[in-house]
Amino acid sequence: MKLTRSLVLSRAKASDLESIKKFNCWGCNLTDISIFTEMPNVEVLTLSANNISTLEHIASCQNLSELYLRRNNIKSLSELSHLKNLTCLKVLWLAENPCCGIDPIKYRLTVLRNLPGLQKLDNQVVTEEELALALEDREEAINPPGPATASSSNGLPDAESEYDHLNYSMEETDKNAAQLGMKPVSGDKFSPSRESVTSLKKKSHTLEAVLLLLKDLDVEELKTVQCATENKLRAHSRQKEKKTIVQH
């Protein structure tokens, strides 16, 4: 999917590209983001859960300070070269891309060596110690060491790793829910059996996307969401009552 001018202006509720400071396009299956060459003043980009494979066009965003790219298709850390001249960039979230490889320490040091101005990487604060180590170390993980086989990057079997990714996603979902004044949604509701991990991951990602989108809606749009939600809840309640009657 190509990110077009009309889509950007619509989502950002803006009249022109140069006025946009923050842009969120989470989970839209994006592959072409060349439109960012026309957005030099954007400061925060949220592009997680897409299919982006290159950072070439982000190089034009000279005022960019925060870049969220988790769960995309960036295969090589050589793509970091497109970010080297972005002197304002302080926050980068790149986790869960193919370029992260299976050695988290080497990956983190390589990113910091290429982007020493970062203050936070993958939601972890950059310390002076690891930055110094990164600048001293000459071994770079420009390409991932190779595909993971029977074990994941944390040494656990694939099934156990699925649990880790689900919990990671639900932590982020809970943060979004808290910002909206809602109760945490993780816990018993998302306690998976091994057979249901995949479907639960999809549900948690959907919920995470919904909570993120709620932040961008105005009052009238929120009322529309509320009405649709209430209708769905009533339909669910009627269906449950019918099942109870049939059982009795």
Side-chain angles (χ1 to χ4, degrees):
M1 176 179 174
K2 181 176 182 178
L3 188 59
T4 62
R5 174 186 291 267
S6 58
L7 180 57
V8 171
L9 295 177
S10 174
R11 292 184 70 93
K13 296 181 175 61
S15 57
D16 62 274
L17 295 177
E18 292 190 356
S19 66
I20 299 174
K21 298 295 182 65
K22 295 183 180 181
F23 184 71
N24 184 338
C25 204
W26 191 100
C28 295
N29 200 32
L30 296 177
T31 56
D32 187 334
I33 56 172
S34 55
I35 190 67
F36 290 134
T37 58
E38 302 177 43
M39 297 171 60
N41 298 317
V42 68
E43 298 174 1
V44 179
L45 281 177
T46 301
L47 301 169
S48 296
N50 283 291
N51 196 29
I52 298 167
S53 59
T54 180
L55 305 180
E56 176 184 0
H57 303 103
I58 296 178
S60 301
C61 305
Q62 291 297 312
N63 292 325
L64 191 65
S65 61
E66 298 181 25
L67 178 59
Y68 301 93
L69 289 163
R70 189 165 63 89
R71 293 209 307 271
N72 272 280
N73 191 33
I74 300 169
K75 296 179 180 180
S76 173
L77 288 177
S78 61
E79 289 294 325
L80 294 175
S81 62
H82 299 301
L83 307 180
K84 284 187 173 182
N85 292 325
L86 302 184
T87 57
C88 297
L89 188 62
K90 303 301 179 185
V91 177
L92 175 65
W93 200 332
L94 194 61
E96 297 177 73
N97 275 274
C99 64
C100 298
I102 59 175
D103 188 335
I105 296 178
K106 182 182 290 186
Y107 151 73
R108 191 171 174 87
L109 292 180
T110 300
V111 174
L112 294 180
R113 184 180 305 108
N114 283 274
L115 304 172
L118 289 180
Q119 296 177 357
K120 184 180 287 188
L121 172 61
D122 296 340
N123 207 34
Q124 292 185 14
V125 174
V126 176
T127 66
E128 293 182 4
E129 290 78 8
E130 65 180 340
L131 180 57
L133 181 60
L135 296 176
E136 289 177 4
D137 190 2
R138 293 291 178 263
E139 185 180 3
E140 297 195 11
I142 293 301
N143 292 298
T149 54
S151 295
S152 64
S153 60
N154 56 11
L156 297 174
D158 287 342
E160 296 296 334
S161 180
E162 294 277 332
Y163 286 109
D164 291 341
H165 286 294
L166 177 60
N167 290 334
Y168 185 51
S169 179
M170 288 312 304
E171 286 178 6
E172 185 171 334
T173 303
D174 281 347
K175 289 179 182 178
N176 293 327
Q179 292 176 2
L180 292 167
M182 299 167 60
K183 294 181 179 179
V185 294
S186 61
D188 294 339
K189 180 178 179 181
F190 289 96
S191 297
S193 62
R194 293 196 178 196
E195 293 77 10
S196 62
V197 165
T198 301
S199 62
L200 285 174
K201 282 177 66 181
K202 291 180 180 178
K203 289 181 180 179
S204 69
H205 293 163
T206 300
L207 182 56
E208 182 182 343
V210 170
L211 293 176
L212 280 169
L213 290 173
L214 282 177
K215 299 176 184 178
D216 295 330
L217 301 183
D218 57 27
V219 174
E220 292 302 318
E221 291 168 335
L222 287 171
K223 287 181 179 179
T224 301
V225 173
Q226 181 183 20
C227 182
T229 303
E230 290 174 348
N231 289 338
K232 189 170 181 66
L233 286 171
R234 282 194 290 269
H236 180 74
S237 179
R238 288 195 295 269
Q239 185 178 14
K240 187 175 181 180
E241 290 175 358
K242 288 181 181 179
K243 287 184 179 180
T244 302
I245 293 173
V246 170
Q247 289 175 353
H248 288 355

